[in-house]
Amino acid sequence: MAETLSPCSPRGQCQPSMGANASSANMDTNASASMVGGSAWRGREPFSVFTVLILTLLVLLTVATFLWNLLVLATILRVKAFHRVPHNLVASTAVSDVLVAALVMPLSLVKELSAGRRWRLGRELCLVWVCFDVLCCTASIWNVTAIALDRYWSLTRQLQYTLLARRRISNVMIALTWLLSAAISLAPLLGWGETYSPEQERCQLSQDPSYTIVSTGGAFYLPLCVVLFVYWKIYKASKFHMWGRRRNAVVPLPEAAQPCLVSEGADRDIHPEE
């Protein structure tokens, strides 16, 4: 007689049947599916009211920055009276701010919206974003510094700082501003530090210590010191000019003394000195 197969071995050790294996596999599949679905649902949770408000303000700020600086450029280009110093320096500042609003701020907003602030747009776009971020922000800061220097020289060197010299010096300052900004922004592309990490999906400025010192010094601390020093000198020069005007001004006599002067003048006309 053929023996019937039982799920238990002759030694008394029971083994799971095919139905039990299938049911356990289904349970594991359902559990994993529920975990994946739960994590996907958590990743798709709606934003809070505060987050929506912040994002709305950032979008409005980006649009306002772009339109305002575009309006400044259009005004300078259309009005011929503005085709001179210092409006060329203002136009250079507006160009840098327009590039920030058009290329840097939208990608920054996309990065803020991603889960964990991760960069999912690839290495090439990361390099472009970081390069334009450093380029435009540095150029904007140095343009403000150039405007401060132009005001100081026009106030303290009125005879030497003629219209022709002012135009040449302003063009040189604009060229140096963009060259310095390009040198600082393109350094990571030439191997000075790394900006993109594919493992962590992170896109940021180069964290190399030497580049951090050079970039922050050349893009922020140095122009800050120049602007503070220049405006302090402008304040002293303006105060000196105001003091000189007050000293040389003709002070009118009080009304009580005016009749005495009139009577003295009349007496001199009647009795002239011999």
Side-chain angles (χ1 to χ4, degrees):
M1 296 179 63
E3 297 180 355
T4 59
L5 296 176
S6 65
C8 296
S9 62
R11 295 181 181 180
Q13 299 177 352
C14 296
Q15 298 178 355
S17 61
M18 295 296 293
N21 291 332
S23 61
S24 61
N26 291 332
M27 292 176 63
D28 295 339
T29 303
N30 294 333
S32 61
S34 63
M35 292 177 62
V36 173
S39 61
W41 174 255
R42 286 193 298 270
R44 298 177 183 176
E45 287 181 353
F47 296 109
S48 62
V49 177
F50 180 75
T51 305
V52 172
L53 180 61
I54 294 297
L55 293 177
T56 304
L57 291 177
L58 290 177
V59 171
L60 292 177
L61 179 62
T62 302
V63 175
T65 303
F66 179 79
L67 294 179
W68 179 262
N69 289 279
L70 199 64
L71 181 61
V72 171
L73 285 176
T75 304
I76 294 175
L77 292 176
R78 290 178 63 88
V79 180
K80 292 183 179 181
F82 292 161
H83 295 176
R84 58 184 181 180
V85 185
H87 298 96
N88 57 345
L89 298 172
V90 177
S92 179
T93 307
V95 168
S96 60
D97 293 340
V98 164
L99 292 177
V100 169
L103 300 176
V104 178
M105 297 178 71
L107 294 178
S108 301
L109 189 60
V110 171
K111 181 182 177 182
E112 293 296 327
L113 289 174
S114 63
R117 296 182 178 179
R118 296 181 179 179
W119 185 267
R120 295 184 173 89
L121 301 178
R123 178 183 178 84
E124 289 75 14
L125 199 56
C126 171
L127 296 177
V128 171
W129 176 62
V130 172
C131 179
F132 274 98
D133 186 9
V134 178
L135 172 68
C136 299
C137 294
T138 305
S140 180
I141 294 173
W142 276 108
N143 281 319
V144 174
T145 307
I147 293 174
L149 289 172
D150 176 74
R151 291 176 179 176
Y152 172 68
W153 288 330
S154 62
L155 181 64
T156 58
R157 302 179 181 180
Q158 298 178 0
L159 298 179
Q160 299 87 355
Y161 201 55
T162 60
L163 181 61
L164 181 60
R166 191 178 185 186
R167 185 179 303 169
R168 291 177 179 176
I169 293 176
S170 64
N171 292 331
V172 170
M173 288 192 296
I174 291 174
L176 291 177
T177 292
W178 287 98
L179 286 176
L180 178 62
S181 304
I184 295 176
S185 63
L186 294 176
L189 300 181
L190 302 177
W192 199 355
E194 185 61 39
T195 59
Y196 179 69
S197 176
E199 294 82 8
Q200 300 178 354
E201 294 184 343
R202 180 178 300 175
C203 180
Q204 59 183 1
L205 297 177
S206 175
Q207 300 299 311
D208 187 87
S210 58
Y211 176 77
T212 301
I213 295 174
V214 173
S215 61
T216 54
F220 180 74
Y221 290 108
L222 180 59
L224 176 64
C225 294
V226 173
V227 168
L228 292 178
F229 176 76
V230 166
Y231 276 107
W232 177 67
K233 298 291 287 185
I234 290 175
Y235 170 74
K236 289 188 64 177
S238 302
K239 189 176 180 180
F240 177 77
H241 284 295
M242 291 297 296
W243 180 78
R245 288 181 179 180
R246 291 179 181 178
R247 185 178 180 181
N248 298 327
V250 177
V251 180
L253 294 173
E255 297 180 357
Q258 291 180 2
C260 297
L261 293 177
V262 172
S263 61
E264 290 178 0
D267 293 339
R268 288 178 182 177
D269 294 337
I270 296 173
H271 304 287
E273 296 180 359
E274 295 180 357

